[in-house]
Amino acid sequence: MSQTILITGATDGIGLETAKVLVSLGHNVLIHGRNAIKLADVEKKLNALANANQVESYLADLSKLSEVIGLASAIKNKHNKLDVLINNAGIYKTNQPISDSGIDIRFVVNTLAPYLLTQELLPLLANTSRVVNLSSAAQATVDLDALMGKKQFNDEFNAYAQSKLAITMWSFFMAQQLGDKGPNIIAINPGSLLATKMVKEGFGMPGKDINIGSNILLRASLSDEFAKASGQYFDNDLGQFAEPHKDAVDQQKNQALINAINNVLTQKL
């Protein structure tokens, strides 16, 4: 049966490779990107694939929280159900580390934007739906002052690692809070140092087979093994569900993180 699947950051890397397979399988795929020309080109190429059903493109800069709201509104205007949301878009190396909101752009794109998008799209997500959140093997204890824009990083890798632990933490918290009433929310490390633009620009290396990452996103989106995996962490470096960073299972730290995220969103929107 054809499913409706939204992939953020679908114009290159793991997101694009995942979109190609999903389209070829006949699913309705909603792709997101921040470059209009690139997004239109990807939509055209996906529509040309065999078995292509419905491909829609949505333009938004996820470093701007108002555009995250706009993205969610555009989707809700066209759809009343979403089977899978893949929060894939992410950023590591950048020449402009501070966003328009005054917060490190890694936190905005990698943590706040997917949280806000998921919250806005909850009315479309049934308890059989899935939210697949891109975490990472790189995770570091979150400095809430940095997340709220009260201090800046001098280490871009630390900023990235904190943002990836933060998305893992809110994945666990939201899954627990929603329980059986909400979608399955799964945090996934798709694999370390894959052949993405992020790895090439950030680490100066070609990286490993990108299909390692797209294959696990496909499994998380479609396979039965993830149907009841809400609130779990899958480490694709190990090829199995695994224990996350210890902070992700600390209820007090998770609550403090959620409070900080909600305070930021209240102030910045």
Side-chain angles (χ1 to χ4, degrees):
M1 180 182 293
S2 179
Q3 297 195 40
T4 300
I5 300 171
L6 168 63
I7 311 173
T8 65
T11 56
D12 56 45
I14 298 172
L16 176 56
E17 295 308 310
T18 305
K20 288 177 181 177
V21 179
L22 289 170
V23 169
S24 297
L25 291 172
H27 294 290
N28 302 321
V29 180
L30 318 183
I31 59 170
H32 153 266
R34 61 186 178 89
N35 181 300
I37 295 174
K38 196 171 183 179
L39 186 61
D41 181 59
V42 169
E43 181 181 7
K44 182 179 179 180
K45 289 178 179 177
L46 291 177
N47 273 316
L49 295 175
N51 297 323
N53 189 2
Q54 181 180 11
V55 179
E56 298 175 9
S57 60
Y58 292 86
L59 181 69
D61 182 346
L62 299 188
S63 72
K64 300 177 180 179
L65 296 174
S66 61
E67 293 198 23
V68 179
I69 294 289
L71 171 61
S73 296
I75 292 167
K76 287 188 285 189
N77 285 338
K78 295 193 69 173
H79 297 273
N80 56 24
K81 182 184 179 184
L82 194 60
D83 295 295
V84 183
L85 164 59
I86 304 176
N87 284 311
N88 166 73
I91 188 170
Y92 167 46
K93 195 175 184 66
T94 176
N95 293 324
Q96 296 180 308
I98 304 303
S99 69
D100 292 347
S101 59
I103 300 169
D104 190 282
I105 200 165
R106 269 75 54 139
F107 271 131
V108 179
V109 174
N110 301 348
T111 305
L112 298 176
Y115 175 86
L116 180 58
L117 183 62
T118 302
Q119 290 281 11
E120 290 293 311
L121 292 177
L122 278 178
L124 276 60
L125 295 162
N127 62 1
T128 55
S129 299
R130 304 182 191 185
V131 177
V132 180
N133 287 333
L134 270 286
S135 181
S136 171
Q139 298 182 32
T141 295
V142 180
D143 185 329
L144 296 182
D145 283 341
L147 184 146
M148 293 186 286
K150 296 179 180 179
K151 62 189 293 187
Q152 296 182 13
F153 289 100
N154 55 16
D155 179 344
E156 58 193 5
F157 183 79
N158 189 30
Y160 176 80
Q162 288 194 33
S163 74
K164 287 301 184 179
L165 175 57
I167 192 173
T168 307
M169 291 172 73
W170 76 245
S171 299
F172 276 56
F173 183 90
M174 191 180 294
Q176 184 180 56
Q177 291 296 303
L178 293 174
D180 293 339
K181 297 180 181 178
N184 291 284
I185 303 174
I186 309 143
I188 290 182
N189 164 30
S192 297
L193 300 175
L194 303 181
T196 64
K197 182 173 68 174
M198 182 186 298
V199 167
K200 292 171 185 175
E201 292 178 350
F203 298 95
M205 60 174 60
K208 296 180 289 187
D209 184 1
I210 199 168
N211 290 314
I212 294 171
S214 59
N215 287 341
I216 191 57
L217 294 192
L218 291 165
R219 284 169 56 194
S221 300
L222 304 174
S223 72
D224 290 342
E225 66 183 307
F226 286 86
K228 301 293 182 181
S230 194
Q232 295 190 53
Y233 171 70
F234 191 93
D235 186 344
N236 205 31
D237 288 332
L238 300 176
Q240 63 186 30
F241 290 100
E243 288 296 316
H245 188 287
K246 60 184 176 62
D247 288 359
V249 291
D250 186 314
Q251 294 294 338
Q252 290 186 327
K253 288 187 176 181
N254 283 348
Q255 184 65 67
L257 176 81
I258 292 296
N259 291 343
I261 289 174
N262 287 333
N263 285 338
V264 167
L265 295 179
T266 298
Q267 294 171 12
K268 302 301 181 180
L269 287 173

